Amino acid sequence: MSTTRLRSGQVAEAAGVNPQTLRYYERRGLLAQPERSLGGHRLYPPAAVTTLRVIKAAQRLGFTLDEVADLLEAGRSRRADRSDPGLRERARAKLAEVEARIADLRTIRATLLEAVEAGCDDLTSCATSTDCPLPFADIAEEDHHDRPCC
């Protein structure tokens, strides 16, 4: 049986990352420590490429590296018949976060469109104008009330 091993550069190229990313993921525990050749070169199993691609895909979906580490561990735990919440539950939670961010971004977009349409060109003027659609006046008012007087 052939046990093909890949060197760092090969793995990095195949996964679309740089070799420093490999070492960083190893330090973080996202990627298993590789075997070493007699000359000290890191030798990875081909599955390391898949793991790296999974990590990068999860990041593109908005998962942090800590969350990715949890997902990888949950996968290992589930294969060992433990009852750690899996991808579906974590994806639902991430989806709720994304939907909340989208709602916030829609509000920001609408407010910025109003500012553009209102012709707002001066932040200082906008901050003191009651006609400006940007919330500067509200923020300035909140800050003023929150601070103790001279």
Side-chain angles (χ1 to χ4, degrees), residues 8-43:
S8 297
Q10 295 171 305
V11 172
E13 184 177 342
V17 300
N18 64 53
Q20 291 80 15
T21 301
L22 291 177
R23 288 188 286 282
Y24 180 69
Y25 288 173
E26 287 172 27
R27 286 192 305 273
R28 297 269 323 239
L30 296 165
L31 195 60
Q33 292 290 323
E35 296 176 9
R36 297 281 184 154
S37 71
L38 294 175
H41 297 286
R42 289 176 166 84
L43 298 174

Side-chain angles (χ1 to χ4, degrees), residues 39-58:
H41 297 286
R42 289 176 166 84
L43 298 174
Y44 296 87
V49 174
T50 301
T51 301
L52 287 167
R53 288 179 179 161
V54 165
I55 292 167
K56 298 312 284 181

Side-chain angles (χ1 to χ4, degrees), residues 28 30 63-72 90:
R28 297 269 323 239
L30 296 165
F63 289 98
T64 65
L65 281 180
D66 286 339
E67 291 169 330
V68 172
D70 288 345
L71 284 167
L72 292 171
R90 292 162 197 245

Side-chain angles (χ1 to χ4, degrees), residues 65-117:
L65 281 180
D66 286 339
E67 291 169 330
V68 172
D70 288 345
L71 284 167
L72 292 171
E73 183 57 37
R76 289 182 205 112
S77 296
R78 291 178 76 74
R79 286 190 292 272
D81 288 333
R82 292 191 208 142
S83 60
D84 197 2
L87 176 60
R88 185 181 317 170
E89 184 177 322
R90 292 162 197 245
R92 281 185 184 132
K94 183 56 66 178
L95 181 59
E97 285 178 32
V98 168
E99 288 174 347
R101 284 198 322 244
I102 289 170
D104 288 345
L105 288 171
R106 284 189 177 131
T107 300
I108 291 168
R109 181 182 188 275
T111 304
L112 290 171
L113 281 172
E114 289 177 36
V116 168
E117 291 169 3

